């Protein structure tokens, strides 16, 4: 059974030259607005023939590095700077971003677990469906800017995945490196089925993801890496002229070969991490302690590294619950792919 057309309409003309700022309008009917709409900001910058890039932030609403960098870019990038077409959506899951949350307050939806989406589903599923069936097919390359959000802090990296198509994998990996963050990663996903990544990759498009900090904020350092990376991405894929600017230190390559990279809590309590992001880890080393907050004088539970590598991500809040990811240990490798 074929799906009906998306209920979302764009106020911009994706085929027109020049700079346009508008909205992706999704009709809703609520107590506050009987005939209302979710209005997702979109900017389209087109200058003649060339490739199309989609720059996306706010797939998770509390990941501000990408949101901030893309909002800034919408007022900076000029049509004459571009060859082809750049589509910028700084806040894919607008209701989540407006609420400062990972997920949507309208339906609890986690956009990056809602793909390929559904035109007859929840608000979040309708947004996912619009990206899958309308925006992604227009594109050659997609950059999806993530970071840790409120509950994680993550070293800055561009990432790609192992794919069935070696040429598609090579182009994504080169894009992930050219983003020019201090690290580049071949990423293992815990559950890839409903990710934006998979919706894009399954259409044969080049997909680059990032992680760029976290804690539910941005810093001058994380924002500088993000803004430089977005420009590098556009330059690398031929949409903007210029030279890719790499970091002063040689880029470090990381691999996450399997699920053992993720250290998840089997306790509830107060978290002490013994390492900072980017620190070297040896297998068997104590990386975290969790303290029982209901009493004094009791020994903490120790968590040890299951592999060698570096601390690539950590839980950000000090309070930890059963099942929370405490740490992610990535393997440093000489080459990727
Ligand atoms: Ca994310």
């Amino acid at each position: 059974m074929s799906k009906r057309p998306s209920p979302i309409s764009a106020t911009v003309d994706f085929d027109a030259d020049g700079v346009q700022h508008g909205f992706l309008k999704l009709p809703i009917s609520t107590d506050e607005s009987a005939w209302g709409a979710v209005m997702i900001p979109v900017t389209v910058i087109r200058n003649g023939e060339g490739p199309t890039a989609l720059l996306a932030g706010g797939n998770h609403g509390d990941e501000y590095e990408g949101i901030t960098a893309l909002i800034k870019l919408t007022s900076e990038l000029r049509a004459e700077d571009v060859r082809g077409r750049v589509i910028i959506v700084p806040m894919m899951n607008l209701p989540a971003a407006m609420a400062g949350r990972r997920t949507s307050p309208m339906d609890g939806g986690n956009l990056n677990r809602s793909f390929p989406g559904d035109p007859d589903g929840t608000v979040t599923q309708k947004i996912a469906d619009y990206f899958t069936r309308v925006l992604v097919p227009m594109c050659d390359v997609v950059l999806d800017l993530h970071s840790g959000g409120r509950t994680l802090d993550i070293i800055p990296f561009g990432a790609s995945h192992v794919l069935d198509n070696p040429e598609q994998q090579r182009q994504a990996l080169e894009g992930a490196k050219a983003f020019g963050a201090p690290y580049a990663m071949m990423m293992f996903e815990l559950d890839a089925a409903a990710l934006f990544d998979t919706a894009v990759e399954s259409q044969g498009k080049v997909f680059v993801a990032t992680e760029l900090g976290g804690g539910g904020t941005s810093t001058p350092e994380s924002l500088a890496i993000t803004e430089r990376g977005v420009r590098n991405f556009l330059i690398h894929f031929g949409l903007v002229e210029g030279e890719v600017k790499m970091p002063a230190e040689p880029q470090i390559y990381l691999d996450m070969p399997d699920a053992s990279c993720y250290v998840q809590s089997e306790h509830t309590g107060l978290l002490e991490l013994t390492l900072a992001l980017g620190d070297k880890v040896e297998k068997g080393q104590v990386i975290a302690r969790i303290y029982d907050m209901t009493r004094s004088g009791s020994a903490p539970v120790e968590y040890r590294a299951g592999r060698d590598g570096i601390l690539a991500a950590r839980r950000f809040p000090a309070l930890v619950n059963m099942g929370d990811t405490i740490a992610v240990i990535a393997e440093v490798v000489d080459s990727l792919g």
Side-chain angles (χ1 to χ4, degrees), residues 190-239:
L190 282 175
D191 183 1
L195 298 180
F196 185 39
D197 318 39
T198 306
V200 177
E201 288 162 350
S202 67
Q203 295 185 40
K205 313 290 185 174
V206 174
F207 183 86
V208 174
T210 68
E211 298 291 352
L212 296 159
T217 190
S218 65
T219 65
E221 192 185 16
S222 68
L223 206 50
I225 291 168
T226 308
E227 293 187 63
R228 183 184 67 191
V230 170
R231 272 198 185 270
N232 281 344
F233 180 87
L234 293 174
I235 292 166
H236 174 78
F237 286 109
L239 288 118

Side-chain angles (χ1 to χ4, degrees), residues 115-274:
F115 285 88
D118 182 352
D120 295 309
T122 63
V123 165
T124 304
Q125 289 166 341
K126 287 172 178 168
I127 294 171
D129 171 68
Y130 183 81
F131 275 85
T132 300
R133 291 195 299 150
V134 180
L135 287 185
V136 171
M138 294 183 200
C139 297
D140 301 290
V141 294
V142 176
L143 176 63
D144 186 24
L145 295 167
H146 286 258
S147 54
R150 290 191 302 188
T151 67
L152 292 169
D153 197 8
I154 309 179
I155 56 168
F157 61 82
S160 61
H161 301 113
V162 175
L163 301 173
D164 292 336
N165 178 337
E167 177 57 18
Q168 186 188 10
Q169 177 179 318
R170 186 192 65 77
Q171 288 186 36
L173 175 58
E174 291 307 312
K177 290 178 183 170
F179 187 84
Y183 300 88
M185 169 88 86
M186 188 63 85
M187 200 160 182
F188 176 84
E189 304 287 354
L190 282 175
D191 183 1
L195 298 180
F196 185 39
D197 318 39
T198 306
V200 177
E201 288 162 350
S202 67
Q203 295 185 40
K205 313 290 185 174
V206 174
F207 183 86
V208 174
T210 68
E211 298 291 352
L212 296 159
T217 190
S218 65
T219 65
E221 192 185 16
S222 68
L223 206 50
I225 291 168
T226 308
E227 293 187 63
R228 183 184 67 191
V230 170
R231 272 198 185 270
N232 281 344
F233 180 87
L234 293 174
I235 292 166
H236 174 78
F237 286 109
L239 288 118
V240 165
E241 287 218 354
E243 279 192 18
V244 168
K245 290 194 180 75
M246 296 301 282
E249 299 288 319
Q251 199 167 40
I252 297 170
Y253 297 151
L254 300 174
D255 192 13
M256 289 172 61
D258 56 55
S260 75
C261 296
Y262 291 82
V263 180
Q264 287 176 317
S265 181
E266 297 179 3
H267 299 85
T268 292
L270 176 67
L271 175 65
E272 175 198 8
L273 274 157
T274 65

Side-chain angles (χ1 to χ4, degrees), residues 245-316:
K245 290 194 180 75
M246 296 301 282
E249 299 288 319
Q251 199 167 40
I252 297 170
Y253 297 151
L254 300 174
D255 192 13
M256 289 172 61
D258 56 55
S260 75
C261 296
Y262 291 82
V263 180
Q264 287 176 317
S265 181
E266 297 179 3
H267 299 85
T268 292
L270 176 67
L271 175 65
E272 175 198 8
L273 274 157
T274 65
L275 300 164
L277 283 181
D279 282 354
K280 269 186 81 170
V281 187
E282 283 179 14
K283 185 174 178 175
Q285 182 183 348
V286 173
I287 58 169
R289 303 183 184 96
I290 297 178
Y291 297 86
D292 181 351
M293 295 170 75
T294 65
R295 66 198 66 251
S296 56
S298 61
V301 181
E302 290 182 338
Y303 280 75
R304 292 173 187 276
R307 59 189 312 127
D308 292 344
I310 66 158
L311 186 67
R314 58 157 291 172
R315 179 168 172 80
F316 190 75

Side-chain angles (χ1 to χ4, degrees), residues 70-82:
L70 291 185
I71 285 179
K72 289 175 73 174
L73 185 66
T74 59
S75 60
E76 290 169 0
L77 197 59
R78 301 167 306 170
E80 58 263 40
D81 298 332
V82 169

